[in-house]
Amino acid sequence: MSGLSEPRLSVNGNKLPSARKISTTVISHSDVPEPGYTALNSHFGQFLDHDIGHTPTERGFCGCTKSSVCIPIEIPEDDEFFEVPCFPFLRSLPSLDENCKGPRQQLNQITSFIDGSAIYGSTDDVVNSLRNKDDGLGLLLTETNPTGVFSLPHLPKDVQESDCATIRHGHHCGRSGDVRSSEQTGLTILHTIFHRNHNLIALQLFQMNPFWDDTRLFNEARRINTAIFQHITYNEYLPLLIGPRMVRALDIKSNSAGFFYGYDYKVNPGVSNVVSTSAFRFGHSQVSSDMTRVNPQFQEVFDPLLLAEAFFNGSIMFDGTNGGVDSIALGMVTQQLQKVDLNIDIVLTQHLFNFPPFSPALDLIAFNIQRGRDHGIPSYVEWRTFCGLSDASSMDDLRSEISEENISRLKKAYSDVRDIDLFVGSIAEEPLADALVGPTNACILGRQFHDLKAGDRFWYETGNQKTSFTKDQLAMIRTMTMSRLMCDNLEFIESIQPFAFRSADERVSPGDETSFYRYNQMNDFPDLNRDMPGFSNVRVSCRDFTVIPHLDLCPRSKQGSPFCSK
């Protein structure tokens, strides 16, 4: 390989330390929850990540010898867990840059826009393979729930997913717009919820407009469902992730009324290499060792689902004995989120995608580090200075953002501060006072989500386009929350907290707002102490539409909605 194709090297020109050695040196496995935040943040983040980026890899055999397609991860002889000499590592598929010259580049094989491609796919072939055109109702295909004909359906069977661990027992994994939908059960749950929501919208549209054909019903339902996804991302998920100060600085929070006129054709809406390869992988630190399962009263009457048993396991969705889909979905809004830090669950560093469970498998953190080097992602120090933080010529220069304990770990792993891999350095930072991530990731991710919105001509709030929603339609979409999405698309749910990404409160403080929709219309949140003053997130009935509004496609006002029959 020429120098233009080499992985990133040390500043002294030598190879960087083994990615597995870095992982075992800096990573620990303590349980460090993030009080006040639910595990839904982790699962939604993965769903969102899979909507905007998927890098293809080379094909071929990869062993422990470096080649044009393979840069194996060396496993030190003194490794305390793995006894093999390496992890085989296929490089990402190469591409020329936009000028057909320069260093090795990589591809994104899905659409980068937040366009619901995780639900519908990024190509016509995938979309058409998911559609149910027989009924003429604009629906997506589904698999009948075995518990009864009136039960909510599941994703259609994925008969091509060879990694599904339960095929031999008759349980296929579910098929959706993204091929990774069965990576872990929490992700599959979100695919199922958005899949069901499309069909719910399509049926409502058909009832109001029985003269519409299948294609129009499908496309209108898809447009609304995608807009809801965009709205939840920017109105609920991002303010917690990067903090209200970053959201305000980049002007990326959704409007409370009216249209968005910030579309800029000069903005590149593509997902940057650094986001897909490093920055958005912070979520691996938020993963718990298990998934809480609860009944509709939020009681933990079921055993938790172990993460090691959740990889490509199609049977769990049909496990009515343990509450099925609902118990895991409600567990997401009950279980505490893990803090973004150097504590990673041991399943991810030793048993990734294992079968049988807890057998030696892969180290996700080592793979993250190696993938960043494969893509030539600049070091952590370069990115922190890009984001306006101070330059660092020694490890001690990192004290403003990284704790003494973490600096000590970094010193053991790297001989030079300029060698620190971005993935490692960014999750070693202390989170910002008002965010879940540190300043470097908040900067990188904030810029990316600005560009994804400003560079999207079909952004749901954009006005003056042939495809634009009307003000009435936008007003309806803005009432939607993740909590309402769960209320409408889970089977046995009775109640939920109005802001699903934050933990439920036990009681209402006098004078507090209890509707997240109304609170969101008036406030930037959380505040600099991560609090939401004046809001009580107590669980309420899913039938309380004043607190958790529902999507009314045909309001009773004379102005009405253009979705209604005329």
Side-chain angles (χ1 to χ4, degrees):
M1 293 181 288
S2 68
L4 294 177
S5 189
E6 285 287 337
R8 184 173 73 90
L9 299 173
S10 168
V11 290
N12 62 21
N14 297 325
K15 286 198 312 181
L16 289 162
S18 159
R20 169 63 182 174
K21 183 65 175 178
I22 297 294
S23 175
T24 57
T25 303
V26 303
I27 299 301
S28 56
H29 307 294
S30 299
D31 183 53
V32 185
E34 189 68 84
Y37 297 81
T38 65
L40 175 65
N41 287 272
S42 172
H43 299 289
F44 188 89
Q46 185 179 25
F47 183 81
L48 174 60
D49 179 43
H50 287 189
D51 194 84
I52 62 177
H54 189 189
T55 304
T57 57
E58 294 269 20
R59 294 182 178 180
F61 173 77
C62 187
C64 289
T65 302
K66 182 179 177 181
S67 69
S68 61
V69 300
C70 184
I71 47 173
I73 300 172
E74 177 186 352
I75 298 179
E77 292 183 0
D78 61 352
D79 194 281
E80 295 182 356
F81 185 76
F82 290 103
E83 297 178 352
V84 293
C86 80
F87 295 130
F89 184 93
L90 282 168
R91 301 194 70 178
S92 295
L93 200 66
S95 171
L96 296 171
D97 66 14
E98 58 188 8
N99 298 315
C100 294
K101 58 182 180 180
R104 180 186 182 110
Q105 297 293 341
Q106 290 77 34
L107 303 167
N108 185 1
Q109 62 184 344
I110 64 174
T111 59
S112 63
F113 298 101
I114 302 176
D115 57 0
S117 61
I119 310 164
Y120 303 100
S122 294
T123 67
D124 288 341
D125 286 344
V126 175
V127 174
N128 288 328
S129 73
L130 290 167
R131 288 181 60 180
N132 175 6
K133 298 182 180 181
D134 294 337
D135 295 338
L137 301 175
L139 303 176
L140 289 167
L141 290 168
T142 57
E143 175 73 9
T144 301
N145 192 323
T147 60
V149 67
F150 298 110
S151 299
L152 293 180
H154 292 289
L155 297 174
K157 290 180 180 179
D158 189 347
V159 296
Q160 296 181 337
E161 178 51 81
S162 59
D163 290 330
C164 193
T166 51
I167 289 178
R168 63 177 62 87
H169 302 297
H171 288 294
H172 289 268
C173 288
R175 180 162 56 93
S176 191
D178 187 85
V179 298
R180 298 162 291 180
S181 60
S182 298
E183 270 192 2
Q184 55 91 7
T185 307
L187 177 64
T188 309
I189 296 289
L190 291 180
H191 277 275
T192 302
I193 287 173
F194 277 100
H195 198 95
R196 289 173 175 174
N197 198 56
H198 170 95
N199 286 352
L200 181 64
I201 295 169
L203 290 172
Q204 291 176 358
L205 291 174
F206 171 73
Q207 291 170 357
M208 294 185 296
N209 305 282
F211 50 87
W212 283 6
D213 63 19
D214 180 80
T215 297
R216 183 171 184 184
L217 287 167
F218 177 82
N219 287 333
E220 292 287 4
R222 177 181 181 177
R223 188 162 70 110
I224 297 168
N225 203 27
T226 300
I228 291 170
F229 176 38
Q230 292 177 339
H231 184 67
I232 291 172
T233 298
Y234 281 72
N235 248 26
E236 300 186 53
Y237 176 72
L238 285 180
L240 301 184
L241 177 66
I242 62 175
R245 286 184 298 183
M246 185 66 70
V247 166
R248 286 196 299 270
L250 295 170
D251 192 25
I252 59 176
K253 188 169 187 281
S254 295
N255 298 341
S256 58
F259 295 107
F260 169 70
Y261 293 110
Y263 168 66
D264 186 348
Y265 72 92
K266 297 187 294 295
V267 171
N268 180 1
V271 172
S272 64
N273 210 327
V274 66
V275 167
S276 63
T277 309
S278 180
F280 216 156
R281 300 190 181 205
F282 73 89
H284 296 158
S285 180
Q286 295 179 314
V287 175
S288 297
S289 61
D290 58 33
M291 299 179 200
T292 298
R293 291 193 276 203
V294 299
N295 65 11
Q297 291 74 46
F298 296 92
Q299 298 166 326
E300 295 184 34
V301 297
F302 310 111
D303 291 335
L305 171 63
L306 299 179
L307 176 62
E309 297 176 347
F311 300 130
F312 296 102
N313 189 341
S315 67
I316 298 168
M317 303 292 289
F318 300 89
D319 185 6
T321 303
N322 286 297
V325 170
D326 281 40
S327 68
I328 300 172
L330 295 179
M332 290 181 190
V333 299
T334 306
Q335 186 174 13
Q336 282 193 331
L337 180 69
Q338 292 291 304
K339 181 181 178 181
V340 176
D341 56 17
L342 291 177
N343 288 290
I344 309 290
D345 188 76
I346 198 168
V347 171
L348 299 185
T349 61
Q350 296 182 356
H351 311 289
L352 179 69
F353 301 150
N354 55 357
F355 191 81
F358 297 107
S359 59
L362 301 172
D363 179 350
L364 178 59
I365 305 311
F367 272 68
N368 287 347
I369 294 168
Q370 193 80 337
R371 190 64 67 193
R373 296 173 180 181
D374 173 26
H375 288 215
I377 300 299
S379 71
Y380 163 68
V381 169
E382 292 183 68
W383 280 107
R384 60 177 275 129
T385 56
F386 170 83
C387 287
L389 300 177
S390 61
D391 196 3
S393 57
S394 73
M395 296 285 185
D396 294 331
D397 293 333
L398 307 178
R399 285 198 176 105
S400 296
E401 292 76 32
I402 300 178
S403 68
E404 290 288 350
E405 178 185 352
N406 285 351
I407 288 176
S408 177
R409 296 188 196 185
L410 294 173
K411 286 179 178 179
K412 293 177 182 178
Y414 298 93
S415 60
D416 193 301
V417 68
R418 296 169 293 173
D419 284 344
I420 298 174
D421 297 279
L422 173 61
F423 173 77
V424 174
S426 61
I427 65 171
E429 292 181 343
E430 286 298 307
L432 291 168
D434 61 344
L436 292 173
V437 294
T440 301
N441 268 345
C443 157
I444 295 171
L445 293 170
R447 290 168 184 252
Q448 178 67 78
F449 283 101
H450 168 271
D451 292 350
L452 284 170
K453 177 179 178 179
D456 185 354
R457 183 162 60 92
F458 298 103
W459 182 253
Y460 81 103
E461 295 177 297
T462 298
N464 292 339
Q465 301 281 347
K466 289 183 179 180
T467 57
S468 296
F469 290 108
T470 67
K471 286 186 177 180
D472 287 332
Q473 290 172 323
L474 276 179
M476 290 182 292
I477 289 167
R478 287 181 174 127
T479 66
M480 284 297 289
T481 59
M482 191 67 209
S483 292
R484 173 49 57 192
L485 204 65
M486 296 177 76
C487 280
D488 289 348
N489 295 286
L490 296 178
E491 193 160 7
F492 305 110
I493 185 173
E494 298 172 358
S495 64
I496 195 171
Q497 65 264 41
F499 190 15
F501 293 92
R502 292 294 298 256
S503 300
D505 292 328
E506 294 294 327
R507 59 185 63 86
V508 179
S509 299
D512 272 6
E513 175 64 72
T514 58
S515 170
F516 172 71
Y517 162 69
R518 290 193 292 268
Y519 186 85
N520 174 54
Q521 292 277 303
M522 303 296 295
N523 296 274
D524 291 321
F525 58 88
D527 66 11
L528 297 187
N529 296 315
R530 299 197 193 183
D531 293 328
M532 295 177 65
F535 176 67
S536 289
N537 200 27
V538 293
R539 295 190 183 111
V540 298
S541 169
C542 282
R543 295 185 294 275
D544 191 340
F545 300 136
T546 62
V547 177
I548 309 178
H550 73 296
L551 184 66
D552 185 357
L553 294 178
C554 191
R556 296 177 182 177
S557 65
K558 290 184 179 180
Q559 289 75 26
S561 165
F563 290 130
C564 300
S565 299
K566 294 183 179 180

